[in-house]
Each structure stands twice: as C-alpha cells, then as structure tokens.
C-alpha cells in the first residue's frame, strides 16, 4: 500500500528536505505541499492524503487550527495528522493533540524514525514521542494530585489491569514494552488498550495519554 503524504511547513527548504527523505521510500509518496494552515485545508480536500506532516507555527492559520479542521470531530476525510515542531516545549503541542493530531515529533528526528512514524500513523495507530509525555507532565505538574486522592470517577469503569495499562501508555511505552513490563503477550496488551479507549470514549493512545495526565492518574515522578 502506498501512503500519500502532504507536507505542511512555512519553510520551503524544510519541505524539500522532508520530501527527499520520504520519496526515497518505496511505500511513501509526497502528493503535495502547503506553506500555511489554510493552504493545507485546500490541499487536503483536493489531494486526499493519508497523512499530513503538520508544522505548528505558520502564518494565516497555525497548525493547531488546521489540525482541528482536518482531524477533529467534524473532519471531512480520513487524513491523519502528524505534528512536527522545532521546540519540544512548544506551548501548542498539547493543543494540537487535543485538536486531533495522531502524533508529535521534533523536526530533528532521525529520518528512519520519521518514516516509521508516518507508517504507524497511516496504519491507524498513534505516535507519541517520549518528549511529549514529558511535556504533558511539565504542563500538569502544578495541577496534579498528591496520589492520596480517590481516582477519578470515570476510571471506575476500568479494571485494575486496564488502569495499569493506561498508566504505561501515558509513559509512552509501546505495546511490546507494556507486554514486557506486565509479563503478558502483545495481543493481550492490544486487547486491554482497546478496552481502555472504548470505555473512556477516546480516539487513540495520544488522547489516552492526555486523559491520564489531566485526570491525575499519572503524577510527577511517574516516568
């Protein structure tokens, strides 16, 4: 299967660099480029990409709003958004994830990791870089409970094992890493993750991680 990719960045040289990396792969094809969020919306409608590599800070319309319109609840098509930014402490990263992005990476990510992230996102999963879990932790550190409080009422729908899996997802662990941590099979982990997403009405692992921090399930020092 060929994965159709749209590049969105206000710096032409960066788009050229990404294009060279992606077009070296037999299963990836760059179908278009955009220099701002508004152009991205137009290109998504016209070109129907599978994955949009989205910069955050751009003129006219930033990447957060563009992501919300492309991948949010009222989206028109199946395009997934993978956010790329220069700064791992970008204040808009969490907003982009809330808006519907399926993942977050830094622009200096190694080429092989960028390619793999596109494949993961295109396959319907989420790409949660370790740095974004740290960003979430930093953002909510002053709001998180001490640990003595009763878990949020919404979490009572989960089994103890599902809560444990949610904590590990929030730490950015893959299914294989969670399986090793809990001494179970990857298939079992996938089943638990699926139950967590369904019960909490979450779209993917990224939303699950955000939920874990916002609910207070994951606390400072948990990573």
């Amino acid at each position: 299967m060929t994965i159709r990719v749209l590049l969105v960045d206000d710096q032409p040289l960066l788009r050229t660099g990404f294009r060279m990396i992606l077009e070296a792969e037999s299963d990836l094809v760059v179908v278009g480029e955009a220099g701002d969020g508004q152009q991205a919306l137009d290109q998504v409608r016209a070109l129907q990409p599978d994955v949009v590599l989205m910069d955050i800070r751009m003129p006219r319309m930033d990447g957060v709003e563009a992501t919300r319109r492309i991948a949010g609840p009222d989206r028109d098509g199946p395009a997934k958004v993978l956010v790329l930014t220069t700064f791992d402490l970008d204040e808009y990263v969490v907003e982009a994830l809330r808006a519907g992005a399926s993942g977050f990476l830094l622009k200096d990510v190694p080429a092989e990791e960028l390619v793999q992230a596109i494949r993961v996102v295109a396959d319907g999963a989420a790409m949660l870089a370790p740095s974004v879990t740290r960003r979430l932790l930093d953002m909510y550190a002053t709001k998180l409970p001490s640990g003595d409080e009763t878990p949020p009422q919404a979490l009572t729908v989960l089994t103890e094992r599902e809560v444990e899996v949610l904590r590990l997802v929030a730490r950015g662990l893959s299914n294989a890493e969670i399986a090793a941590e809990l001494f179970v099979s990857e298939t079992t982990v996938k089943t638990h993750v699926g139950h967590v997403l369904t019960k909490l009405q979450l779209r993917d692992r990224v939303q699950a991680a955000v939920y874990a921090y916002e609910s207070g399930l994951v606390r400072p020092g948990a990573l």
Side-chain angles (χ1 to χ4, degrees):
M1 181 187 72
T2 300
I3 300 171
R4 298 165 56 82
V5 182
L6 174 67
L7 303 178
V8 184
D9 196 294
D10 63 343
Q11 299 184 50
L13 285 178
L14 281 178
R15 297 200 305 267
T16 298
F18 289 140
R19 178 182 283 273
M20 291 175 62
I21 292 171
L22 302 185
E23 291 190 337
E25 304 295 324
S26 59
D27 60 333
L28 304 180
V29 58
V30 176
V31 296
E33 300 182 14
D36 60 55
Q38 185 57 58
Q39 289 180 5
L41 297 183
D42 297 338
Q43 293 284 54
V44 166
R45 296 188 189 101
L47 302 173
Q48 295 294 301
D50 301 305
V51 176
V52 179
L53 282 186
M54 180 72 75
D55 187 21
I56 287 185
R57 302 186 182 192
M58 297 181 293
R60 290 218 295 170
M61 181 188 294
D62 65 27
V64 174
E65 182 58 28
T67 294
R68 184 175 292 110
R69 299 193 191 188
I70 293 170
D74 301 323
R75 65 184 183 184
D76 296 329
K80 310 290 196 310
V81 175
L82 180 59
V83 172
L84 291 170
T85 183
T86 306
F87 309 101
D88 61 346
L89 295 184
D90 195 310
E91 62 268 28
Y92 298 111
V93 166
V94 174
E95 289 304 315
L97 296 176
R98 284 184 179 141
S102 293
F104 160 79
L105 291 174
L106 295 180
K107 288 182 179 178
D108 62 358
V109 64
E112 61 273 16
E113 291 185 22
L114 173 61
V115 169
Q116 181 58 26
I118 291 173
R119 291 172 179 148
V120 167
V121 168
D123 195 41
M127 188 67 193
L128 190 61
S131 55
V132 78
T133 64
R134 173 57 59 185
R135 172 60 178 150
L136 288 167
L137 180 59
D138 291 342
M139 173 168 283
Y140 295 112
T142 60
K143 304 176 184 178
L144 297 180
S146 65
D148 299 327
E149 295 85 350
T150 303
Q153 181 66 28
L155 291 180
T156 60
V157 301
L158 303 181
T159 66
E160 289 185 12
R161 177 48 62 92
E162 288 166 356
V163 170
E164 194 172 11
V165 168
L166 177 57
R167 283 197 180 97
L168 297 176
V169 167
R171 285 171 50 192
L173 272 64
S174 67
N175 285 345
E177 291 168 333
I178 295 174
E181 182 91 6
L182 300 181
F183 302 102
V184 297
S185 70
E186 283 192 56
T187 300
T188 298
V189 172
K190 289 180 182 178
T191 299
H192 286 317
V193 171
H195 289 166
V196 169
L197 298 181
T198 299
K199 290 181 179 180
L200 297 180
Q201 299 181 358
L202 302 171
R203 184 187 63 249
D204 54 33
R205 299 168 76 96
V206 172
Q207 280 200 343
V210 172
Y211 181 91
Y213 281 93
E214 291 186 323
S215 69
L217 178 64
V218 178
R219 303 185 303 277
L223 290 183

